[in-house]
Amino acid sequence: MYRVARPSEYLAITGGGIKNIRLAKKGWILPGQSCTVFDVSPVNYTFEVQAMSVEKLPFVLPAVFTIGPRVDDEESLLKYAQLIAPHDKHSHHVIELVQGVIEGETRVLAASMTMEEVFRGTKEFKQEVFGKVQLELDQFGLIIYNANVKQLVDVPGYEYFSYLGQKTQMEAANQAKVDVAEARMKGEVGAKLREGQTTQNAATIDAETKIISTQRLGEGKKEEIKVRTEVKVFENQREAEAAEADAELAKKKAGWSREAHVAKVESEKAVAIRAAELQREVEMMNALTMTEKLKAEFLTKASVEYETKVQEANWELYKKQKAAEAILYQKEKEAEAQKASAEAAFFARQQVADGELYAKQKEAEGLVAMAKAQGTYLGTLLGSLGGDYGALRDYLMISGGMFQDIAKINAEAVRGLQPKISVWTNGGGDDGGAAMKEVAGVYKMLPPLFKTVHEQTGMLPPAWMGTLTDPNVKSPTTSVWKD
């Protein structure tokens, strides 16, 4: 019979002519031979491994392993064909086998690590688990193609990871609060830090004092025990010597009775003297131990008080320095504010002065330009009038409407009054041409006009026009000079 395996399968042939197992993708199955087809495609195994850390904290490790036979190694493939292939890949037997290997190695590794190491070193923990599991799977010809370890999960009743997450959140929130408080109240935090350091140092000194006292007490007890041991050893030696002396005396009792008695008395006296000496040494050691104990107690107390006073003095100095620095900082800020205010006021005043100066300059420039224009205008008029200043003045008065304004003022002044009207005439007659008549009429009208102006306004005509004979006329008068 000729058999051909599919791409993901192998043929395991046993029987006549084959020493153990022959693996092939295709081949003849001869009489007396048996052929088994097994699949080498990998399978996903999902587990929830329950493990316990070194602190005896249980946790669940969800994991998905993709496991299959090692097809690139013939020896591993033979192991798989012998040990695993007879069973279905999804059978309970295979699942328990793989799960047992994974759970066993995971529990052993987790038992040697703390929960913090497992949580923070997830990547290293995963690699360590994979390495140890792979070593166990090699004996079955299996290889881990892929493995995915999910997030560690708490066992019901042991909410370590949830509390750890809450701890991380609270630490972050507390850190934010600490940062804000540190930025806003740095001085208070510094003060609290100093107080905490003082308390810690005092506690450290108290603990060290107790430790030293306990050590000294233990050393005294050890010395006392040592002295007692030496005394006991010496007494035993003396007892042995006494026993030896008694034996010697027994042998020589006949001839040495007196000497033995004397030796015994001397031995007893020597023992008493030695015991007294040892007792004196013990008392001296006890006195020295008590002296050292009292010295350590009072010296430590004095040292603690000295350190406390030093810390208090340092704290007072630190507070005074900080207060002085705060006052200095406030004064500097006030000086800077006053300086900035003065500079701003000076700048504003300077800008106002510059504006006023600029306006005055422009106004002066306008006046200069106007004066130049008027000078040019008057110079041109004076030149046109042949340099006659009187003619220029008369022209300006006439062109400026001064006489019309005077007439209006007079009219307003005498409105509603009853003025006295005087009429002058020279008797009539023909004086020549009509043009000369008009000129003569103008000149005849001037004297009464100037008199009326004088009466109304108090103004006198120019000296070149002559003087009036009656300057004290008070009543309003209107003069008319008829020809």
Side-chain angles (χ1 to χ4, degrees):
M1 182 179 180
Y2 189 78
R3 297 288 301 271
V4 177
R6 288 183 294 183
S8 62
E9 295 178 344
Y10 270 86
L11 301 178
I13 306 172
T14 59
I18 299 173
K19 184 177 181 181
N20 189 7
I21 298 176
R22 180 166 64 87
L23 301 177
K25 297 290 289 183
K26 58 184 178 179
W28 289 98
I29 309 301
L30 303 177
Q33 294 181 349
S34 175
C35 176
T36 302
V37 180
F38 63 94
D39 190 4
V40 295
S41 59
V43 179
N44 290 329
Y45 297 95
T46 303
F47 306 108
E48 288 188 356
V49 181
Q50 294 189 357
M52 185 175 293
S53 66
V54 70
E55 303 101 328
K56 304 297 187 297
L57 293 175
F59 63 94
V60 177
L61 179 68
V64 179
F65 287 78
T66 303
I67 300 174
R70 190 188 294 272
V71 296
D72 56 351
D73 185 9
E74 185 177 359
E75 182 178 358
S76 298
L77 200 58
L78 286 173
K79 290 180 181 180
Y80 178 81
Q82 290 176 340
L83 302 175
I84 305 299
H87 306 278
D88 183 36
K89 293 185 293 183
H90 300 283
S91 64
H92 187 68
H93 172 76
V94 176
I95 294 175
E96 281 190 346
L97 175 64
V98 175
Q99 185 176 2
V101 172
I102 295 173
E103 288 184 351
E105 296 300 328
T106 303
R107 288 169 179 165
V108 171
L109 181 60
S112 62
M113 300 174 66
T114 64
M115 187 66 79
E116 189 71 14
E117 292 174 349
V118 174
F119 184 76
R120 294 188 179 276
T122 306
K123 184 177 180 181
E124 292 77 12
F125 179 76
K126 173 182 174 182
Q127 293 176 351
E128 193 76 13
V129 170
F130 294 169
K132 293 185 178 299
V133 170
Q134 184 60 58
L135 288 176
E136 295 296 325
L137 294 179
D138 285 340
Q139 59 186 344
F140 300 101
L142 297 172
I143 183 174
I144 300 174
Y145 285 92
N146 184 31
N148 182 20
V149 175
K150 300 180 182 179
Q151 185 65 36
L152 301 177
V153 180
D154 287 318
V155 175
Y158 296 87
E159 289 77 17
Y160 175 81
F161 295 110
S162 61
Y163 289 152
L164 189 61
Q166 295 176 9
K167 174 187 175 184
T168 304
Q169 293 178 358
M170 292 303 296
E171 286 178 351
N174 291 335
Q175 185 62 36
K177 293 179 181 178
V178 168
D179 293 338
V180 173
E182 184 176 6
R184 293 167 56 184
M185 295 180 290
K186 188 175 182 181
E188 293 183 4
V189 172
K192 293 296 182 181
L193 180 61
R194 287 286 185 176
E195 292 177 0
Q197 290 177 350
T198 302
T199 304
Q200 292 177 1
N201 292 335
T204 303
I205 292 173
D206 291 338
E208 292 177 354
T209 302
K210 292 180 180 179
I211 292 173
I212 293 174
S213 177
T214 305
Q215 290 178 350
R216 291 294 178 85
L217 184 61
E219 290 176 357
K221 290 183 178 180
K222 288 193 291 184
E223 291 294 331
E224 183 179 357
I225 294 172
K226 182 177 179 181
V227 170
R228 289 179 180 177
T229 304
E230 291 178 353
V231 170
K232 188 66 175 178
V233 170
F234 181 78
E235 289 178 353
N236 292 335
Q237 290 177 353
R238 286 300 185 184
E239 289 178 0
E241 291 175 358
E244 185 178 357
D246 290 339
E248 187 69 22
L249 288 173
K251 293 179 180 178
K252 299 179 179 180
K253 188 175 181 181
W256 298 93
S257 58
R258 185 177 180 180
E259 288 81 356
H261 182 70
V262 172
K264 183 176 180 181
V265 172
E266 291 178 352
S267 176
E268 290 177 354
K269 289 182 179 181
V271 171
I273 292 171
R274 184 58 180 167
E277 292 177 353
L278 291 175
Q279 184 65 29
R280 183 173 62 84
E281 291 179 359
V282 170
E283 294 296 333
M284 290 178 65
M285 292 300 296
N286 289 334
L288 289 174
T289 302
M290 184 62 66
T291 301
E292 291 295 330
K293 181 179 179 181
L294 294 175
K295 186 187 294 184
E297 181 178 355
F298 288 105
L299 180 60
T300 303
K301 184 176 180 181
S303 300
V304 171
E305 290 179 354
Y306 171 75
E307 291 294 333
T308 304
K309 296 296 183 182
V310 169
Q311 292 295 332
E312 291 178 354
N314 292 335
W315 170 237
E316 292 295 331
L317 178 61
Y318 176 78
K319 288 197 298 184
K320 291 180 180 179
Q321 289 178 348
K322 288 300 180 182
E325 290 176 0
I327 295 173
L328 178 60
Y329 179 77
Q330 183 178 2
K331 295 295 183 182
E332 291 177 351
K333 290 300 180 182
E334 290 178 356
E336 292 177 358
Q338 293 177 357
K339 181 180 179 183
S341 178
E343 290 178 353
F346 174 74
F347 180 75
R349 291 178 181 176
Q350 187 176 9
Q351 293 295 322
V352 172
D354 291 342
E356 292 178 354
L357 177 61
Y358 181 76
K360 295 294 183 181
Q361 288 177 349
K362 290 301 180 182
E363 184 179 356
E365 291 176 359
L367 293 174
V368 170
M370 184 180 294
K372 288 182 179 179
Q374 290 180 354
T376 303
Y377 171 68
L378 293 176
T380 304
L381 288 177
L382 189 60
S384 300
L385 296 174
D388 188 355
Y389 173 76
L392 176 62
R393 182 185 59 192
D394 294 339
Y395 173 78
L396 292 175
M397 292 176 67
I398 293 170
S399 63
M402 179 178 289
F403 293 110
Q404 290 85 343
D405 293 338
I406 292 173
K408 289 180 181 180
I409 292 171
N410 289 332
E412 292 292 333
V414 299
R415 179 181 295 178
L417 300 177
Q418 295 178 357
K420 182 177 66 175
I421 301 173
S422 300
V423 180
W424 289 271
T425 180
N426 56 5
D430 189 3
D431 293 332
M436 294 304 294
K437 276 185 173 184
E438 295 295 332
V439 174
V442 172
Y443 277 94
K444 291 177 182 179
M445 186 182 62
L446 288 177
L449 176 62
F450 287 136
K451 184 178 180 180
T452 303
V453 170
H454 175 69
E455 291 175 351
Q456 299 295 328
T457 64
M459 294 178 61
L460 295 174
W464 57 271
M465 296 186 70
T467 59
L468 297 174
T469 59
D470 189 8
N472 297 319
V473 178
K474 297 181 180 179
S475 60
T477 303
T478 303
S479 300
V480 179
W481 194 351
K482 288 189 178 179
D483 188 359

